Amino acid sequence: MEWSSLVRVSTEETDRARREVRGMASLQLCLPFSSTRRSQFRFSYGRVQCSSERQELFSRIAPVYDNVLNDLLSFGQHRIWKRMAVSWSGAKTGDNVLDVCCGSGDLLFLLSEQVGSQGKVIGLDFSKNQLSMASSRQDLVSKACYKNIEWVEGDALDLPFSDCFFDAITMGYGLRNVVDKRKALEESFRVLKPGSRISVLDFNKSTQPFTTAIQCSSDAGKDLEKLALEIGFSRAKHYELSGGLMGNLVATR
């Protein structure tokens, strides 16, 4: 279902949002017409320098961001990867869980189903428009477990929660967009209960030769594992998905 049918957004605003989304992820594809010409297929991201600029950008592109951009970059497979990310978080019935940079809520709704009506799910994002979109989706689906969802406008670098508060945390396609990855992971570490996990799904800088040839990403799995351990996580493992196009960091406090 198109986002424009979920909320009252004019055609002009939606078209503008789509243009900005595609501008964030310009794809260049050249098929090898000869044996001497290498195929090139690279993802590049426009840099937004500070949190306020990123907040403004994501508010503008909220009507189409998640489905359009993630379908574009993942060839529609992001739905499968998101289910895997939720599973890796270790969230279970009755847990109190957090989805950081929740966007339009894909991971958060999966978390809600995972923890059930006895659990509590908080979706945090710094874009009011993204949260409005997610809330609209919640209202359209009458699942009892979705009543356990709370939406919070906040910063991933300064989480408005007390220490050791959550049983599990997820972050889907959000770490690439924060201005300080270390600080974002430090904050998640702070609010996680001891022994609990964070599951971070994002595009990956693969070590596989074929994948490296077709994708550019700033984050390598080993670097994220090292960063998580430096912050204080007791264990950290990065899993490559779909031949290395995607990656999921699983870190245990």
Side-chain angles (χ1 to χ4, degrees), residues 20 24 34 40 76 84 98-100 106 111 119 122 128 155 161 166 177 210 222-223 227 229 232 245 252:
E20 295 212 30
M24 288 178 64
S34 69
Q40 295 182 349
M84 296 175 70
L98 170 68
D99 185 29
V100 181
D106 282 359
L111 279 170
I122 296 179
K128 287 184 179 180
D155 189 349
F161 310 109
F166 293 103
N177 293 319
F210 172 76
K222 292 299 181 184
D223 292 338
L227 178 59
L229 293 174
L245 286 173
T252 303

Side-chain angles (χ1 to χ4, degrees), residues 28-155:
Q28 299 175 337
L29 174 62
C30 299
L31 297 178
F33 294 105
S34 69
S35 59
T36 59
R37 184 179 180 184
R38 290 184 60 190
S39 63
Q40 295 182 349
F41 186 36
R42 295 185 177 273
F43 303 124
S44 60
Y45 305 93
R47 288 192 175 274
V48 184
Q49 296 300 327
C50 66
S51 294
S52 60
E53 291 176 351
R54 293 178 187 227
Q55 186 174 22
E56 181 182 354
L57 173 62
F58 278 88
S59 292
R60 289 200 305 268
I61 67 175
V64 294
Y65 172 69
D66 265 10
N67 278 357
V68 172
L69 182 58
N70 288 331
D71 276 336
L72 182 68
L73 295 181
S74 72
F75 308 104
Q77 295 186 70
H78 66 94
R79 293 171 178 83
I80 299 173
W81 299 329
K82 286 172 180 175
R83 290 189 177 276
M84 296 175 70
V86 168
S87 178
W88 269 320
S89 76
K92 59 187 182 300
T93 302
D95 276 354
N96 181 34
V97 299
L98 170 68
D99 185 29
V100 181
C101 304
C102 67
S104 60
D106 282 359
L107 278 175
L108 185 127
F109 291 122
L110 293 174
L111 279 170
S112 176
E113 296 170 8
Q114 189 88 352
V115 303
S117 300
Q118 299 85 5
K120 178 70 175 179
V121 184
I122 296 179
L124 178 136
D125 203 281
F126 65 178
S127 168
K128 287 184 179 180
N129 288 358
Q130 291 279 2
L131 293 173
S132 177
M133 294 294 303
S135 179
S136 296
R137 295 179 66 192
Q138 180 186 11
D139 294 338
L140 288 174
V141 182
S142 57
K143 285 192 175 183
C145 64
Y146 287 178
K147 294 179 181 179
N148 65 10
I149 294 174
E150 177 184 345
W151 309 100
V152 174
E153 182 184 1
D155 189 349

